[in-house]
Amino acid sequence: YISELAQKSPLPLIGNGDILTARQAVERLKQSQCAGVMIGRGCLKDPWIFWDALNLWNGVGEIPRKDHVRFFKELYEELVGYGEERYIL
């Protein structure tokens, strides 16, 4: 239904709903012909889902998995080094 609506609508439509992987995001974009898709819970388990989806869309493929623990340690170090105290605590 949404692809039919997206074809007829003069406004860009954004699809959503249970997109948990980059592959799902790209498939939904292609199938629905929407202007975009929303990713909610999927990014909580995989913060790189947006990067992976962009790479898949452009035919590059998924990037290798990153270490979540190291990622958040690096983020914390950046916050400590450059952020205000109210953001760190």
Side-chain angles (χ1 to χ4, degrees), residues 14-33:
I14 307 294
N16 73 325
D18 296 326
I19 296 175
L20 302 175
T21 68
R23 196 163 306 283
Q24 283 178 326
V26 171
E27 287 172 1
R28 296 270 176 91
L29 273 171
K30 289 179 179 177
Q31 290 171 354
S32 70
Q33 300 177 11

Side-chain angles (χ1 to χ4, degrees), residues 46-57:
D46 182 6
W48 298 276
I49 190 171
F50 306 104
W51 182 255
D52 287 344
L54 179 63
N55 283 338
L56 286 171
W57 182 259

